[in-house]
Amino acid sequence: MEVDLESVRHALTERLDELRRSTDSTADSRKPVELDQASVGRLSRMDAMQMQAMAQATERLRSQQIVRVQAALKRIDDGDYGYCVACGEEIEPKRLAVDPTVPTCFDCASASRR
Ligand SMILES: [Zn+2]
């Protein structure tokens, strides 16, 4: 395999730190919206609720990414990194270059989308 595991591990660890930091720094934006009509008008309250919904959706994506990064780091530790979790074949290096957390080869990924 042509992949430099240590640099991948390094990049993934940094990515994980970054994701966790964003989770912490955006915690406030996901808090329940104040339903105090006196302090916020109806429109801005709807804005606030929309912002909160977006923040929550972003956070859901972020936690999925965290899971993917953690799984990739575990595959490095287990010596399985770079091999498809479905069929065991090597994952195309180009695929890993685009997304180092990708768990399956092109064929398996396309098969699961069908
Ligand atoms: Zn596969």
Side-chain angles (χ1 to χ4, degrees):
M1 197 174 25
E2 308 148 43
V3 185
D4 176 0
L5 283 183
E6 278 317 304
S7 63
V8 174
R9 189 204 299 273
H10 184 75
L12 288 176
T13 307
E14 295 223 309
R15 180 97 187 98
L16 194 58
D17 281 352
E18 193 186 301
L19 287 165
R20 283 180 173 149
R21 270 199 303 273
S22 330
T23 293
D24 288 346
S25 65
T26 56
D28 275 353
S29 63
R30 293 188 303 276
K31 279 184 184 153
V33 175
E34 274 284 327
L35 292 181
D36 182 2
Q37 296 249 28
S39 60
V40 268
R42 188 165 175 277
L43 268 179
S44 61
R45 188 162 61 99
M46 283 176 66
D47 281 349
M49 289 173 79
Q50 208 166 36
M51 297 273 289
Q52 187 212 19
M54 276 166 54
Q56 285 171 341
T58 306
E59 181 56 25
R60 269 195 297 277
L61 280 176
R62 192 152 43 218
S63 45
Q64 284 166 13
Q65 284 181 322
I66 289 177
V67 169
R68 272 172 79 94
V69 174
Q70 282 172 331
L73 282 168
K74 184 175 186 309
R75 287 197 298 279
I76 293 177
D77 288 340
D78 294 347
D80 295 333
Y81 183 80
Y83 297 96
C84 174
V85 295
C87 72
E89 291 294 317
E90 275 191 29
I91 299 174
E92 298 79 0
K94 271 184 198 160
R95 225 172 128 66
L96 286 172
V98 173
D99 178 4
T101 68
V102 73
T104 50
C105 70
F106 180 75
D107 286 344
C108 292
S110 332
S112 69
R113 270 200 290 271
R114 249 171 244 144

